[in-house]
Amino acid sequence: MKNVETKVWDLLVVGGGSAGIVAAKTAVKLGASVLLAEHERPGGDCLWTGCVPSKSLLAAAHHRAGIRKSAALGVHAESVTVDFAAVRRHIDTAIRTIEPVDAPETLQAEGIHVVKGAVTFISDGKAAIGGDRVAYRQAVIATGASPIVPGIPGLRDFVTSETIWDLRDLPSRLLVLGGGSVGCELGQAFARLGSSVTLVEATDQILPAESPDAAAIIADSLRQDGVNILTGRALTEVTGNNPGVPGNTAVLADGTRVEFDQLLIAVGRRARTAKLGLEHVGVAVDEQGRIVVDRSMRTSNPRIWAAGDVTPLPQFTHTAGAFASIAASNAILGLRRKATTSAIPRVTFTDPEVASVGNTSAAHGTRQQTITHDHLDRAVTEDERRGFSRLHFDRKGRIVGATVVSPRAGETIGELTLAIRLGLRGRELAGTIHPYPTFSDGAWNAAIADTREQLNARSARRVIRGLTSARSMWLRLRPHRH
Ligand SMILES: Cc1cc2nc3c(=O)[nH]c(=O)nc-3n(C[C@H](O)[C@H](O)[C@H](O)COP(=O)(O)OP(=O)(O)OC[C@H]3O[C@@H](n4cnc5c(N)ncnc54)[C@H](O)[C@@H]3O)c2cc1C
């Protein structure tokens, strides 16, 4: 740690997850000396406990469901079994395949100085990493977020998105608390692999951030997988919840009792700021403990920046990386480049997927066009007709939001994100030839339908204008009767 202690680093990066790694790589490419401190292992939530393991688990689960469904297409499988140990190995292989990109040696080879240890800020320009002191000119905080565990009476033995990957056996009765993206993805995955799943959501709709019709399709799909969905009911008490002892019961606000063997808590995540010493450097947090940043990713301390799940911005890997790059380049180059938040895509990787971007509310002055997939040719050929593509337009006909519910909707949303970012009008998307037959035909057809409607409305207006002026001319010219 000697040269770490004596040097003044251009940039101290706190946390080696998606945001921290991108911040460090950006700064080092700009010629800065960079110290990246990570108290566990680089890669963060996405690699170890988030995106990578959850999508690997879902891949296995969707294959199993696909085999079950294939009978409708004339393909019969004799017997289908799930080897959970092999599923775990698949997850592990995916992590190990991606891991080298984020490994300390790879980052060191790129010129980033990586140290293991938890950072605590001591004063402006000084921080402690373990027992060592470091000096920095600028810092980026990228410490991420941890699962929230609500204070429920009797709650003792449970797993979260961080610890569910340690399960050796498939739970036979899994209770999932929380119907957001994480709860729906993991609930569907375990149900498809063979667990009996109950999903409890306190609000009236699963996927509360999505439109009710999108959420309803996912709810139907989960029910078809055997998931028992209980919405509008909070978990108030757990009884018999002792490690290794069967016979757990969840008691809901309306008195419903649910027996379970394993409880997954997926009710959101809280910014990791404990022991960072933010009070020593004047970095403000909001009422939920998230580090407040302006649009240039600067905190209330002008030389400290933040990005990723530790901030109030949407909690995704793509936002963590994009905004960390802005934070680091602003810090090193003294710029105030601003983050754009109008076109941030989000995907729930259930089957079907739900992908949304931009302004999807029915705000005043916007209009929307929806194409359901029951007659979308690709959906028909794949027998995947549950779903829709919806575009939202502003007064000028620019695409401002989109929702797609379909297999691989996450792949379709990329082009719609670009359309929003570039301020494209619906007619420009309508005039762009799309390959046939694809699920992206849905959004294309929505754009074509809207363009036609607008043209019809315009010609109707022209005809009405023509008739009105002809009539007023006739009234002026007609012979007056006295
Ligand atoms: C189950 C699940 C599935 C997900 N799926 C997706 C998905 O499909 N797509 C998507 O875009 N997003 C997904 N996410 C969200 C995504 O994982 C996060 O948004 C992303 O990892 C955030 O990156 P980050 O760098 O802000 O935080 P993290 O990745 O959490 O990194 C923070 C790092 O900081 C370290 N750290 C914390 N405190 C200190 C300290 N004091 N000193 C030093 N180091 C410290 C931590 O050890 C950690 O490595 C998922 C999340 C979960 C839980």
Side-chain angles (χ1 to χ4, degrees), residues 50-251:
C51 331
V52 176
S54 63
K55 266 78 255 180
S56 307
L57 181 78
L58 279 163
H62 293 342
H63 273 291
R64 165 138 199 234
I67 294 168
R68 224 186 296 138
K69 208 194 132 190
S70 66
L73 280 67
V75 178
H76 300 272
E78 285 306 304
S79 74
V80 182
T81 54
V82 172
D83 175 355
F84 192 61
V87 173
R88 284 174 45 93
R89 280 200 296 281
H90 160 65
I91 295 172
D92 204 44
T93 304
I95 293 173
R96 298 290 158 206
T97 307
I98 298 171
E99 179 195 0
V101 180
D102 296 343
E105 311 78 61
T106 313
L107 301 175
Q108 301 270 22
E110 291 187 36
I112 300 162
H113 198 97
V114 183
V115 290
K116 188 171 164 96
V119 173
T120 304
F121 290 99
I122 301 169
S123 62
D124 216 12
K126 298 254 173 342
I129 305 178
D132 301 306
R133 300 284 159 110
V134 295
Y136 63 87
R137 292 193 177 84
Q138 306 277 327
V140 172
I141 302 175
T143 48
S146 302
I148 294 173
V149 177
I152 295 167
L155 182 64
R156 277 185 288 272
D157 187 30
F158 55 87
V159 289
T160 65
S161 60
E162 287 184 349
T163 51
I164 196 162
W165 313 108
D166 300 334
L167 291 181
R168 302 273 133 204
D169 302 306
L170 193 68
S172 105
R173 292 173 303 176
L174 177 68
L175 176 66
V176 179
L177 185 62
S181 281
V182 172
C184 287
E185 287 184 5
L186 295 181
Q188 187 175 48
F190 277 97
R192 289 186 159 195
L193 291 172
S195 297
S196 163
V197 175
T198 299
L199 191 148
V200 173
E201 163 58 46
T203 67
D204 287 337
Q205 167 187 315
I206 61 161
L207 298 180
E210 302 301 341
S211 63
D213 50 356
I217 292 171
I218 303 310
D220 274 354
S221 175
L222 290 175
R223 285 195 195 98
Q224 275 171 25
D225 290 317
V227 178
N228 175 24
I229 301 177
L230 303 173
T231 52
R233 281 167 270 197
L235 175 59
T236 51
E237 194 190 342
V238 182
T239 60
N241 189 216
N242 295 311
V245 182
N248 302 270
T249 306
V251 185

Side-chain angles (χ1 to χ4, degrees), residues 15 17-19 38-39 45 51 55 119 144 272 308-309 315-317:
S18 307
E38 163 56 54
H39 74 163
D45 274 7
C51 331
K55 266 78 255 180
V119 173
R272 288 189 197 110
D309 285 4
Q315 294 184 323
F316 304 115
T317 295

Side-chain angles (χ1 to χ4, degrees), residues 253-331:
D254 66 346
T256 307
R257 299 172 79 84
V258 183
E259 304 284 321
F260 65 92
D261 303 308
Q262 189 60 256
L263 169 60
L264 166 64
I265 296 189
V267 294
R269 288 178 295 142
R270 183 169 289 126
R272 288 189 197 110
T273 53
K275 300 198 188 134
L276 272 178
L278 298 182
E279 63 284 5
H280 301 144
V281 280
V283 170
V285 295
D286 66 12
E287 64 290 348
Q288 293 177 44
R290 304 168 299 189
I291 295 181
V292 179
V293 284
D294 63 17
R295 284 186 57 204
S296 68
M297 299 295 124
R298 201 165 75 164
T299 70
S300 49
N301 180 326
R303 62 153 108 177
I304 301 185
W305 312 72
D309 285 4
V310 76
T311 70
L313 290 159
Q315 294 184 323
F316 304 115
T317 295
H318 40 280
T319 41
F323 297 157
S325 165
I326 289 177
S329 53
N330 282 346

